[in-house]
Amino acid sequence: MDTTAGRTDLPEADAFTRTYWEAAAQGRLLIRRCAGCGRAHHYPREFCPHCWSEHVTWETASGRATLYTWSVVHHNDLPPFADRTPYIAAVVDLAEGPRMMTELVGTEPAGGPRAGMELEVTFRAEIPVFRPVRRV
Ligand SMILES: [Zn+2]
């Protein structure tokens, strides 16, 4: 059975991005690192967006990030989002440098998010999302 039918939050995986989604299914966030300029990027591209080098390889990210900006989404009619509103659409800065669009979980939309707060990746239905780091 195809459990992804009707979901609009899972991109169509082609041969290139399949690597990314297979890693996500195993709980690993992948980024791309350029051997030409040394910079990392996200989402995955076959060329480095900074210097256009083709010498770009996969790298497992630390999963650490800081919150750059966010907005609380109250209305989204597309499945599966309709069942989840309100949710927090976020832009985070990965520890490796790339900026990533994602979702912030594990905190209340009202008053929870703070710019610069420390986050860690977690996976929900094989999609990387971020939550506040809990100190123990
Ligand atoms: Zn580069």
Side-chain angles (χ1 to χ4, degrees):
M1 187 180 116
D2 183 3
T3 57
T4 62
R7 286 181 63 173
T8 54
D9 56 342
L10 280 176
E12 198 82 23
D14 60 26
F16 175 64
T17 56
R18 185 169 298 128
T19 302
Y20 177 83
W21 291 110
E22 285 178 354
Q26 298 164 5
R28 289 186 301 126
L29 176 64
L30 293 187
I31 56 176
R32 300 275 288 172
R33 174 80 65 182
C34 174
C37 68
R39 297 180 70 181
H41 69 265
H42 189 86
Y43 60 95
R45 277 159 282 207
E46 295 188 63
F47 294 85
C48 174
H50 305 293
C51 72
W52 305 105
S53 168
E54 297 174 49
H55 300 288
V56 181
T57 55
W58 295 105
E59 175 179 305
T60 300
S62 64
R64 304 300 293 258
T66 54
L67 183 58
Y68 175 67
T69 190
W70 68 94
S71 75
V72 179
V73 178
H74 292 281
H75 299 287
N76 190 331
D77 292 333
L78 297 173
F81 299 104
D83 297 335
R84 292 189 195 154
T85 55
Y87 64 91
I88 308 171
V91 179
V92 304
D93 286 327
L94 300 178
E96 290 79 7
R99 191 159 279 175
M100 175 178 172
M101 290 188 64
T102 183
E103 184 179 333
L104 181 59
V105 300
T107 187
E108 289 301 313
R114 281 179 294 106
M117 75 193 301
E118 290 180 52
L119 307 173
E120 61 189 1
V121 73
T122 184
F123 290 84
R124 187 187 56 203
E126 303 183 4
I127 302 281
V129 297
F130 283 80
R131 66 185 174 202
V133 171
R134 303 202 197 294
R135 300 182 196 288
V136 287

